[in-house]
Amino acid sequence: MQKSTLEYTLAALIITCMAGWVGCDKNTPEPNPTSLDSSQLIEKGEEAFYQSQYEKALKYYQNALKYKPESADLHNRIGMTLRFLYNQNSSEELKVKEIEAFKKAVELDPKFTAAWINLGSACLHADQKKQAAEALKQALELMPSHPDADQIKKLILEAEANQDSKF
């Protein structure tokens, strides 16, 4: 029995689609972020982040935020990603957005110690010494036995001593 041209074409199409699904086609574009659910977007964001693809990670996290706008964790991840982008190109706009993201994270979850530390660190590097000291104190209040408590205390003292000057 001879196969028709249509059957061969369909078979080729199915094989091509399957190759794309399993990642055999290296030219397959990235999945459309809007077609993924929030956990998939976060996972893709993590992958991009750990591959130092910060702009890509930021897009995934921002798309995930559309599903979970009240996620303190996502705001914190966005803040960290903006920090790494800032470290690459020193855009003051990125520093401002970084601080905003951390502020939103602690607003949404006032007991999120890591976000308080990140906010304190971001403020410290933006020469916002008073805000840095307050955020770092809040982190220690939440977790006095934090593994980096001694270092955090030093940063608080330094921020308080230098509130009117730059480091």
Side-chain angles (χ1 to χ4, degrees):
M1 177 188 248
Q2 216 175 29
K3 301 260 185 196
S4 72
T5 305
L6 180 59
E7 287 174 303
Y8 281 115
T9 304
L10 285 174
L13 181 60
I14 291 169
I15 291 169
T16 302
C17 289
M18 289 174 63
W21 288 333
V22 296
C24 294
D25 181 3
K26 293 184 180 178
N27 295 321
T28 302
E30 282 293 318
N32 181 351
T34 59
S35 69
L36 302 173
D37 69 25
S38 63
S39 61
Q40 290 170 316
L41 289 165
I42 293 167
E43 186 177 313
K44 289 284 187 187
E46 285 178 355
E47 288 173 16
F49 185 89
Y50 289 114
Q51 293 171 0
S52 302
Q53 298 173 344
Y54 305 120
E55 288 180 19
K56 192 176 188 180
L58 183 61
K59 287 178 186 174
Y60 280 117
Y61 291 148
Q62 288 171 331
N63 278 307
L65 200 60
K66 293 174 186 174
Y67 294 99
K68 295 182 167 187
E70 301 301 310
S71 170
D73 177 63
L74 270 172
H75 286 280
N76 190 61
R77 288 173 190 260
I78 288 170
M80 287 305 299
T81 305
L82 290 165
R83 175 176 293 169
F84 279 77
L85 283 169
Y86 172 81
N87 289 341
Q88 287 179 339
N89 64 30
S90 301
S91 164
E92 287 305 313
E93 180 184 353
L94 291 173
K95 181 56 73 180
V96 169
K97 288 180 179 181
E98 173 192 346
I99 291 171
E100 288 172 1
F102 292 135
K103 282 182 178 179
K104 185 66 175 179
V106 298
E107 174 189 317
L108 291 169
D109 183 358
K111 294 184 179 188
F112 193 174
T113 305
W116 281 109
I117 292 169
N118 288 333
L119 175 58
S121 175
C123 289
L124 195 59
H125 292 287
D127 292 320
Q128 298 174 10
K129 309 290 192 264
K130 182 178 179 185
Q131 296 88 342
E134 290 170 1
L136 294 169
K137 283 179 184 179
Q138 183 62 34
L140 281 182
E141 186 176 309
L142 290 168
M143 189 182 277
S145 61
H146 189 280
D148 295 321
D150 290 339
Q151 182 62 31
I152 294 169
K153 288 174 186 174
K154 288 178 186 175
L155 291 173
I156 292 168
L157 290 172
E158 197 170 339
E160 289 176 336
N162 294 297
Q163 284 185 11
D164 296 323
S165 66
K166 297 183 185 252
F167 284 125

